[in-house]
RNA sequence: GCGCUCGUAGCUCAAUUGGAUAGAGCACUUGACUACGAAUCAAGAGGUUGCAGGUUCGAGUCCUGCCGAGCGCACCA
């Protein structure tokens, strides 16, 4: 598996540390190392400003003295500029090191050895009987990518779809169905029709509060096991899941568990009892709450005794801890729920569960429409299914225009269209709010999924034409133009690590764009199938780029067609 | 009102987590398919990093205040 050779910054940090006579450890040095903004300045820079204080010397002076002592097979030359020591690497040596390591590890390049530890990823979690909107896309693709990234970092990922299949909303739905439900219509298009009556319910409830009372009563009876209510609930759930499954298949997302909120229905009295026993439960206006410092109390039961979101999340957290013993749990849920998770974790801590510190909320910004949150209740949603359909159509259109002889066009159009949608969501920092823009999503040029896919497809085409096969290679004649790419490839394992540490798939997406762009530049300037003795090493080089591009896309959950 | 998140080019976003002259893509203008796929490449133009202070060798990044946006804040999830 990966990690066959110590990474570059590691090695360089070592050399510097020794040159500093171990006054600074290699670890300390490594933290300071950076890449110069202008490539002409060097490959790796070491700023001496922090050393200046300790040694009571001018940074330039330190840099000069240090530069004289740096000698290693990795280093070609050293220059001093201001307080920086700028290192130029031995390109041939590093190139061989990096490319050989990819040739050996293949898709395992950058992978870490298994630590036999589990990470629970709670993501997607759509609400039953509500449409799968663009808003849910974020949690789904971020969570899925995070799971892939966790596995790459040596963890076992447990993908849990914590379905929103319980709660007062079902009371509303049951009341709405009894008043205006039409069985045939619902059978024909379940979510669409259920949404209609749900929205209608909300419109009327704004003026008539008795409807809300009826809904609360209906949910209460559902929670108490009322036959009729349960039957309806089951029906709604099955119908919704069927529709969700289509989306998940398109997105290539799968789950290890669909245990949603309802699953914890019979596990909640224990939690409530435990809270009571620990003296945390306090009555407040007929409801029961847990008081917290520096934040509003957490509501555990309503005054009619029915449970709430927080109760079910408590039960879920405890159940999961007992069954999975995960070392960490990620809740991939929008940042509008930050307060809820703070409360949840804090209640668990008060209950004396030390493991509560291993629970992390991974928040993300929301998808906005005209600068505003989309609201299901007002029926103002954009359906993910519609957007994906549009994207696939656009891909189809592009294929007809650019590559009409392509085989299995439908399959490829799906891969490109879906890839565009997923990539578009993952390429930016997760905390940013995203203004929904179909135009941007359907543009397949520039910083997009199809751009990266296209780069890979072109390499695949080269490899086929050159009848490439994996064997031993030297990389002596790939040209100086390859150097920026080598540096990126070298950096990949660290990007994988960083993406995990920051729970940030966009690191991978940005990396894949950089790599694709650099390779496209190389491609435009260098004849690869040159027929002059350099072809085999250039092909092998292109192959390593393809390996890393494909792996990056896989981590994002984006397919990588060989032709498109 | 309080809390959270954020404010960088016309638009969407980066910026090595405090480092060198703030960079990409889209859109716009121009050039490149006898070099392997033009979903590409090359070039041009585009900036007082919301405003005002502060911290230090050094601030888009950290602190304080203000302005602006979005989202939360008890029986929804």
């Amino acid at each position: 598996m990966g990690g066959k050779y110590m990474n570059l910054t590691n090695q360089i940090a070592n050399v510097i540390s020794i040159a500093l006579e171990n006054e600074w450890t290699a670890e300390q040095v490594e933290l300071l190392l950076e890449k110069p903004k202008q490539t002409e300045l060097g490959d790796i820079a070491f700023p001496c400003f922090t050393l200046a204080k300790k040694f009571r010397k001018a940074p330039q002076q330190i840099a000069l003295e240090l530069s004289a002592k740096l000698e290693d097979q990795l280093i070609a030359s050293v220059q001093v500029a201001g307080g920086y020591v700028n290192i130029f690497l031995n390109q041939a040596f590093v190139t061989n090191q990096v490319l050989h390591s990819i040739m050996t590890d293949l898709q395992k390049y950058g992978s870490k050895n298994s630590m036999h530890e589990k990470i629970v990823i709670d993501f997607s979690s759509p609400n039953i009987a509500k449409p799968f909107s663009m808003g849910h896309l974020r949690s789904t693709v971020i969570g899925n990518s995070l799971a892939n990234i966790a596995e790459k970092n040596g963890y076992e990922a447990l993908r849990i779809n914590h379905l929103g299949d319980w709660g007062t909303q079902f009371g509303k739905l049951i009341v709405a169905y009894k008043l205006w439900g039409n069985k045939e219509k619902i059978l024909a298009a379940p979510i669409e029709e259920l949404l209609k009556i749900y929205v209608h319910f909300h419109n009327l409830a704004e003026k008539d509060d008795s409807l809300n009372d009826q809904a609360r009563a209906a949910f209460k009876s559902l929670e108490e096991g009322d036959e009729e209510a349960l039957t309806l609930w089951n029906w709604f759930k099955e119908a919704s899941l069927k529709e969700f499954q289509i989306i998940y298949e398109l997105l290539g997302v799968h789950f290890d568990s669909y245990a949603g909120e309802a699953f914890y229905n019979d596990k909640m009295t224990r939690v409530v009892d435990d809270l009571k026993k620990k003296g945390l439960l306090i009555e407040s206006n007929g409801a029961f709450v847990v008081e917290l410092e520096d934040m509003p109390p957490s509501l555990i039961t309503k005054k009619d005794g029915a449970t709430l979101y927080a109760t079910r999340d408590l039960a879920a957290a405890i159940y999961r801890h007992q069954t999975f013993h995960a070392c960490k749990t990620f809740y991939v849920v929008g940042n509008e729920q930050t307060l809820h998770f703070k409360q949840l974790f804090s209640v668990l801590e008060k209950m004396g569960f030390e493991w509560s510190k291993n629970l992390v909320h991974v928040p993300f910004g929301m998808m906005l429409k005209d600068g505003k949150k989309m609201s299901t209740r007002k029926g103002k949603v954009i359906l993910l299914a519609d957007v994906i359909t549009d994207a696939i159509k656009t891909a189809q259109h592009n294929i007809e225009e650019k590559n009409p002889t392509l085989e299995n066009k439908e399959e490829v159009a799906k891969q490109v269209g879906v890839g565009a949608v997923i990539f578009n969501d993952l390429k930016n920092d997760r905390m940013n709010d995203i203004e929904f823009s179909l135009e941007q999503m359907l543009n397949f040029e520039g910083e997009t999924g199809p751009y990266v896919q296209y780069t890979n497809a072109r390499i695949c085409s080269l490899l086929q034409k050159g009848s490439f096969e994996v064997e031993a290679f030297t990389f002596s004649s790939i040209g100086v133009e390859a150097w920026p790419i080598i540096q990126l490839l070298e950096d990949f394992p660290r990007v994988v690590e960083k993406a995990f540490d920051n729970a940030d798939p966009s690191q991978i997406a940005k990396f894949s764009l950089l790599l694709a762009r650099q390779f496209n530049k190389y491609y435009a300037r260098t004849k690869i199938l040159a027929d002059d003795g350099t072809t085999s090493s250039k092909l092998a080089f292109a192959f390593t780029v393809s390996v890393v591009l494909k792996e990056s896309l896989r981590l994002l959950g984006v397919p990588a067609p060989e032709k498109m």
Side-chain angles (χ1 to χ4, degrees):
Chain A
M1 303 305 117
K4 280 216 172 66
Y5 82 106
M6 216 201 302
N7 75 57
L8 246 182
T9 34
N10 241 315
Q11 298 179 63
I12 294 290
N14 238 328
V15 174
I16 293 176
S17 177
I18 290 166
L20 289 171
E21 279 145 18
N22 293 315
E23 294 256 12
W24 286 56
T25 67
E27 287 74 34
Q28 287 172 311
V29 171
E30 193 176 343
L31 285 174
L32 292 171
L33 289 179
E34 55 191 81
K35 191 172 163 62
K37 274 185 182 155
Q38 284 77 34
T39 50
E40 314 85 65
L41 288 173
D43 298 316
I44 294 180
F46 181 63
C48 298
F49 306 105
T50 31
L51 278 76
K53 264 187 198 148
K54 177 165 179 175
F55 296 138
R56 299 172 151 241
K57 272 190 215 169
Q60 291 91 328
Q61 187 61 31
I62 297 172
L64 275 171
E65 289 172 19
L66 180 57
S67 69
K69 288 193 239 168
L70 292 181
E71 243 176 73
D72 191 87
Q73 57 182 353
L74 279 170
I75 298 172
S77 67
V78 181
Q79 281 177 10
V80 172
Y84 289 91
V85 176
N86 290 324
I87 296 169
F88 291 82
L89 294 168
N90 179 340
Q91 297 190 6
F93 188 83
V94 172
T95 298
N96 265 304
Q97 224 182 24
V98 174
L99 296 190
H100 270 124
S101 147
I102 300 175
M103 279 303 221
T104 314
D105 293 348
L106 299 174
Q107 72 273 15
K108 300 278 190 208
Y109 176 66
S111 299
K112 292 204 183 154
N113 294 322
S114 170
M115 296 183 286
H116 305 289
E117 283 189 307
K118 277 184 206 157
I119 290 191
V120 166
I121 320 236
D122 176 324
F123 69 108
S124 195
S125 312
N127 292 323
I128 295 299
K130 287 196 195 172
F132 205 103
S133 74
M134 283 307 292
H136 294 108
L137 176 66
R138 305 220 67 198
S139 173
T140 307
V141 296
I142 292 171
N144 183 50
S145 177
L146 238 38
N148 295 336
I149 291 168
E151 285 167 342
K152 182 95 182 157
N153 277 276
Y155 295 91
E156 186 185 325
L158 218 73
R159 297 162 167 83
I160 298 185
N161 195 342
H162 190 67
L163 293 171
D165 57 3
W166 207 245
T168 311
Q169 51 173 332
F170 284 94
K172 293 177 183 174
L173 223 40
I174 289 167
V175 172
Y177 177 76
K178 285 186 179 168
L179 289 173
W180 320 292
N182 177 318
K183 197 167 183 181
E184 284 72 42
K185 278 190 184 169
I186 296 178
L187 281 171
I191 294 181
E192 192 187 328
E193 198 54 33
L194 289 172
L195 177 66
K196 239 182 236 169
I197 61 175
Y198 185 73
V199 170
H200 188 60
F201 177 94
H202 266 277
N203 288 339
L204 293 193
E206 268 181 27
K207 287 166 215 142
D208 180 4
D209 200 43
S210 74
L211 277 172
N212 286 322
D213 291 337
Q214 288 180 50
R216 278 188 279 267
F219 173 59
K220 181 82 162 99
S221 67
L222 176 64
E223 205 163 34
E224 283 162 355
D226 178 78
E227 192 86 13
E228 187 193 11
L230 264 174
T231 310
L232 281 175
W233 171 79
N234 240 316
W235 177 35
F236 295 159
K237 181 172 169 179
E238 291 304 312
S240 295
L241 271 180
K242 230 191 214 164
E243 285 195 42
F244 292 161
Q245 211 49 52
I246 297 170
I247 303 263
Y248 288 136
E249 234 155 82
L250 268 172
L251 292 176
V253 173
H254 68 274
F255 297 92
D256 300 300
S257 160
Y258 284 83
E261 298 185 49
F263 177 78
Y264 300 100
N265 190 30
D266 61 355
K267 298 167 183 64
M268 283 188 294
T269 44
R270 271 221 315 271
V271 177
V272 176
D273 288 347
D274 197 20
L275 281 167
K276 219 178 283 173
K277 210 170 64 198
K278 287 172 177 162
L280 295 169
L281 214 54
I282 290 168
E283 209 226 290
S284 168
N285 299 328
F288 281 92
V289 306
V290 175
E291 299 272 6
L292 301 166
E293 295 83 42
D294 307 322
M295 54 185 130
S298 174
L299 258 177
I300 304 298
T301 58
K302 302 196 266 191
K303 59 181 157 211
D304 65 3
T307 62
L308 283 140
Y309 183 41
T311 331
R312 295 188 281 275
D313 267 358
L314 282 172
I318 293 166
Y319 172 85
R320 287 173 185 169
H321 174 255
Q322 288 167 346
T323 34
F324 305 129
H325 302 101
C327 68
K328 217 173 235 193
T329 298
F330 289 148
Y331 291 89
V332 186
V333 181
N335 79 21
E336 68 267 31
Q337 291 193 34
T338 299
L339 179 60
H340 164 72
F341 282 105
K342 267 194 190 160
Q343 293 174 314
L344 177 69
F345 300 160
S346 171
V347 170
L348 286 166
E349 197 189 339
K350 276 183 174 283
M351 292 177 83
F353 298 129
E354 232 228 290
W355 48 265
S356 70
K357 65 180 193 310
N358 301 326
L359 308 179
V360 279
H361 176 212
V362 178
F364 52 84
M366 61 190 95
M367 186 80 69
L368 302 175
K369 178 73 185 147
D370 306 320
K372 291 260 155 59
K373 187 185 181 182
M374 303 182 203
S375 162
T376 315
R377 289 185 300 204
K378 290 174 187 146
K380 254 184 67 179
V381 277
I382 296 162
L383 301 185
L384 176 57
D386 293 348
V387 173
I388 294 180
T389 306
D390 278 354
I392 293 174
K393 267 191 208 148
T394 306
Q396 245 154 8
H397 175 80
N398 283 341
I399 290 169
E400 286 308 332
E401 207 165 70
K402 298 166 198 285
N403 197 358
T405 60
L406 181 69
E407 307 149 44
N408 54 3
K409 291 178 189 170
E410 313 76 44
E411 177 59 22
V412 175
K414 219 157 70 180
Q415 293 181 312
V416 174
V418 168
V421 171
I422 296 176
F423 196 94
N424 183 262
D425 204 306
L426 290 179
K427 73 177 172 185
N428 295 134
D429 188 288
R430 25 164 253 273
M431 287 309 286
N432 293 348
D433 287 345
I434 297 185
E435 172 66 28
F436 175 78
S437 158
L438 199 64
E439 188 196 341
Q440 211 189 338
M441 213 168 295
L442 299 187
N443 179 8
F444 294 175
E445 289 166 20
E447 296 175 328
T448 67
Y451 175 87
V452 181
Q453 290 174 320
Y454 177 75
T455 308
N456 180 60
R458 277 208 305 202
I459 296 177
C460 290
S461 167
L462 283 176
L463 296 175
Q464 201 179 31
K465 283 193 175 145
S467 316
F468 173 80
E469 272 173 45
V470 181
E471 46 186 87
F473 285 101
T474 53
F475 299 96
S476 46
S477 48
I478 58 176
V480 285
E481 307 255 329
W483 183 237
I485 305 172
I486 301 293
Q487 288 176 289
L488 282 171
L489 293 175
E490 198 281 324
D491 203 33
F492 182 65
R494 237 148 308 124
V495 173
V496 167
E497 213 173 84
K498 219 166 68 175
F500 177 73
D501 290 343
N502 299 346
D504 182 10
S506 79
Q507 303 279 343
I508 306 282
K510 281 170 197 140
F511 170 87
S512 72
L513 284 170
L514 280 177
L515 181 56
R517 190 180 311 138
Q518 284 304 331
F519 186 80
N520 283 331
K521 284 186 188 181
Y522 179 82
Y523 182 91
R525 293 174 195 166
T526 314
K527 174 93 172 157
I528 290 169
L529 298 172
D531 216 23
D532 63 355
T534 65
T535 304
S536 68
S537 70
K538 281 178 186 162
L539 265 184
F541 167 55
F543 170 75
T544 62
V545 173
S546 164
V547 166
V548 176
L549 277 181
K550 265 196 296 211
E551 184 63 1
S552 303
L553 290 176
R554 187 190 67 78
L555 290 173
L556 296 171
V558 173
E562 298 210 339
K563 293 177 181 170
M564 62 189 272

